[in-house]
Amino acid sequence: MPQHLHDAVADTLADLTGTPADRLTPDTPLADLGLDSLLAEELLTVLAEKHGITPADGADFALGPHATVGDVLALLDADRATGGVRPSGALL
């Protein structure tokens, strides 16, 4: 997984939740950060607008109530591997 993808997710989650990025681990539950379905949608929107990472359609629905930071990374990495994630219009 590209480091910039990890950093983008950690930085965005930190901004949205107020949790320091260095305290986020792949095992951190999104619910513990206060991330609900609306914030999950905002997370994906900010990743697209600020970092140029556009997940495949329906990615927000793949982040269920027990999702972790690692699940977000795995989802984006899987999308990247299949061409679903595009930074600035180009495949990773």
Side-chain angles (χ1 to χ4, degrees):
M1 173 181 317
Q3 184 64 36
H4 70 279
L5 186 61
H6 177 274
D7 292 345
V9 170
D11 291 345
T12 303
L13 281 170
D15 289 344
L16 290 175
T17 67
T19 303
D22 62 353
R23 293 190 60 213
L24 300 174
T25 69
D27 295 328
T28 302
L30 297 178
D32 287 1
L33 302 174
L35 207 77
D36 58 13
S37 59
L38 292 175
L39 277 178
E41 181 64 33
E42 187 172 352
L43 167 67
L44 298 177
T45 299
V46 171
L47 286 171
E49 292 176 355
K50 185 175 178 182
H51 299 284
I53 300 168
T54 306
D57 290 338
D60 55 328
F61 294 112
L63 299 177
H66 303 290
T68 64
V69 172
D71 292 332
V72 174
L73 294 169
L75 175 69
L76 294 175
D77 196 44
D79 282 350
R80 179 194 59 81
T82 61
V85 174
R86 292 174 174 75
S88 305
L91 292 177
L92 282 175

